[in-house]
Amino acid sequence: MATTAITATMTMVLRGLALFFCVVGRIAGSFFLVRLSFWTNVASMQKTLPKNDLPVEIVRIILL
């Protein structure tokens, strides 16, 4: 009887840990994807912006 309770408890703990890591992984993955797409957009914008323009250079320095 006691081993059945221990087994059930361990199963619930492992399921909880798996769910926790799945949620954390999804949040971290979406964060990195958003961050990557942001820097990709910044890089593509930098190609179209004029060179040696002071406000553009200030923004470029702040973002990098």
Side-chain angles (χ1 to χ4, degrees):
M1 187 75 119
T3 55
T4 313
I6 292 171
T7 304
T9 304
M10 290 301 292
T11 303
M12 292 299 288
V13 168
L14 289 175
R15 283 184 177 178
L17 281 173
L19 179 64
F20 172 76
F21 283 116
C22 284
V23 169
V24 168
R26 281 191 166 235
I27 292 171
S30 65
F31 172 75
F32 287 127
L33 284 176
V34 166
R35 189 167 176 187
L36 178 66
S37 67
F38 171 76
W39 288 114
T40 305
N41 289 341
V42 168
S44 66
M45 282 190 334
Q46 283 182 350
K47 292 176 186 174
T48 60
L49 293 173
K51 295 278 185 189
N52 300 325
D53 189 12
L54 187 58
V56 171
E57 293 298 324
I58 292 171
V59 169
R60 191 174 290 159
I61 290 169
I62 291 172
L63 289 176
L64 297 177

